[in-house]
Amino acid sequence: VQLQASGGGLVQAGGSLRLSCAASASIFSDYAMGWYRQAPGKQRDLVAEFTSGGISNYADSVKGRFTISRDNAKNTVYLQMNSLKPEDTAVYYCAAGRGSSIRYTVPYWGKGTQVTVSS
């Protein structure tokens, strides 16, 4: 399983970024896909996911600001992040898990991408 995340960077508060995660074609249609983030000194938390059934779920802290989407033709999952806040600063990880929801799997991880939001 290969996951390649990209799109992080430095942005001012209120700005937007889009993260991309390219996945192996063999897993894309059968696995739950998600984005996690980990801030310094904190645990890694789920930000958004697509279940294997195609349902999207979000952490309360990002609802209304972040949108997870997928392009099946490109085997890519995106995380559009709008109205970014300094507390969104973290390393963001793409993940894939064989199961209905990524929360109940031991996921495969992509390399993290840093998102820094300045105030």
Side-chain angles (χ1 to χ4, degrees):
V1 175
Q2 292 186 340
L3 303 169
Q4 289 194 318
S6 61
L10 173 64
V11 65
Q12 288 188 329
S16 299
L17 283 174
R18 189 177 78 158
L19 306 182
S20 301
C21 175
S24 305
S26 60
I27 70 164
F28 194 74
S29 59
D30 298 327
Y31 280 51
M33 302 288 296
W35 288 96
Y36 287 73
R37 68 185 180 188
Q38 188 168 21
K42 296 189 177 181
Q43 66 181 20
R44 189 174 297 186
D45 291 325
L46 181 62
V47 174
E49 70 161 340
F50 257 121
T51 68
S52 58
I55 297 172
S56 57
N57 297 307
Y58 298 92
D60 288 342
S61 60
V62 306
K63 282 181 181 176
R65 300 188 298 122
F66 290 12
T67 302
I68 190 169
S69 63
R70 62 195 295 163
D71 185 334
N72 291 336
K74 296 182 178 180
N75 300 325
T76 300
V77 172
Y78 302 98
L79 184 67
Q80 178 66 44
M81 305 184 294
N82 298 329
S83 302
L84 283 161
K85 304 175 181 180
E87 51 263 44
D88 295 317
T89 295
V91 178
Y92 284 69
Y93 296 91
C94 178
R98 192 175 184 89
S100 58
S101 169
I102 201 165
R103 290 171 289 178
Y104 308 125
T105 71
V106 179
Y108 296 94
W109 297 103
K111 187 177 179 180
T113 184
Q114 176 71 46
V115 172
T116 302
V117 185
S118 63
S119 57

